[in-house]
Amino acid sequence: TGPQAVALQKEWAEFVGSKYCLTTASGTAALHMGLAAVDVVPGDEVIVPSYTFLATASCVMHQMAIPVFVDIEPTTYTIDPTKIEAAITERTKAIIPVHIQGCPADMDPILEIARKHGLSVIEDACQAHGSAYKGRLCGTLGIVGAFSLNNLKNLCGGEGGLFVTDDEDVLKKGDLVRYFGDECDETT
């Protein structure tokens, strides 16, 4: 809640075109907050690409859900939308497309599949700061976008992450995870 963190949240939300942004301890924390905020619970399944950094799947496991790996497109190294529906079961709750090394996943068919099956889309944009898909910045197409600021990312802050959403309910649930379930009001 410090002034620099609050300023960063405001500036990042404006930059990417989201209503809300929360600073986090890491991109992994932002992904985990996203899963909790869309009500992924133990035993749920979350579709992730087979080629990604381990945090994409480990945050699913941290939520005690099950990562379901889907193959990638050989030219973009992003999740292959044509293979997603075959992986969907009655336990599937979300899809995490990864914009790997700044290369946007093919979001139109992913979002269409998600709408068709009532799934949440949490974008792993941890390596995609400023990358765009059809004129919209990566991380702003799903219900949640997660960005990393660690020392190996293209926007380096040493450590930290950013959680973005346009949904106020998702924002509130994400913020509860950030504060370990405590409703923290620093304005009073």
Side-chain angles (χ1 to χ4, degrees):
T1 59
Q4 295 300 323
V6 171
L8 174 59
Q9 291 173 163
K10 182 179 185 294
E11 290 173 23
W12 190 255
E14 288 173 3
F15 173 72
V16 298
S18 283
K19 287 183 183 178
Y20 310 108
C21 175
L22 297 173
T23 55
T24 67
S26 64
T28 305
L31 287 168
H32 178 239
M33 286 166 53
L35 290 164
V38 301
D39 301 320
V40 170
V41 298
D44 283 345
E45 294 177 352
V46 178
I47 294 174
V48 299
S50 60
Y51 178 70
T52 185
F53 181 67
L54 66 95
T56 311
S58 69
C59 69
V60 174
M61 294 174 11
H62 187 76
Q63 193 63 15
M64 294 184 281
I66 302 160
V68 175
F69 294 94
V70 170
D71 206 358
I72 59 168
E73 294 182 325
T75 55
T76 64
Y77 298 100
T78 61
I79 195 166
D80 186 340
T82 67
K83 297 182 178 176
I84 292 174
E85 282 196 280
I88 294 172
T89 72
E90 68 280 348
R91 293 171 40 189
T92 306
K93 189 72 171 255
I95 304 169
I96 303 179
V98 178
H99 307 297
I100 196 80
Q101 298 174 354
C103 184
D106 191 3
M107 293 301 293
D108 285 344
I110 294 168
L111 293 167
E112 180 57 36
I113 291 165
R115 274 190 292 274
K116 178 180 174 183
H117 294 277
L119 306 175
S120 297
V121 175
I122 300 165
E123 290 177 81
D124 182 336
C126 289
Q127 299 178 355
H129 311 79
S131 293
Y133 176 81
K134 297 186 178 180
R136 284 193 59 191
L137 290 184
C138 292
T140 65
L141 298 142
I143 187 91
V144 171
F147 298 87
S148 174
L149 302 175
N150 90 5
N151 61 345
L152 301 175
K153 298 301 188 273
N154 53 344
L155 181 62
C156 173
E159 270 306 326
L162 301 162
F163 167 104
V164 299
T165 186
D166 287 339
D167 186 299
E168 189 173 359
D169 186 51
V170 168
L171 171 78
K172 288 176 183 175
K173 289 178 182 178
D175 204 26
L176 283 172
V177 174
R178 183 171 71 157
Y179 284 114
F180 305 102
D182 189 16
E183 295 186 51
C184 185
D185 184 2
E186 295 290 327
T187 61
T188 59

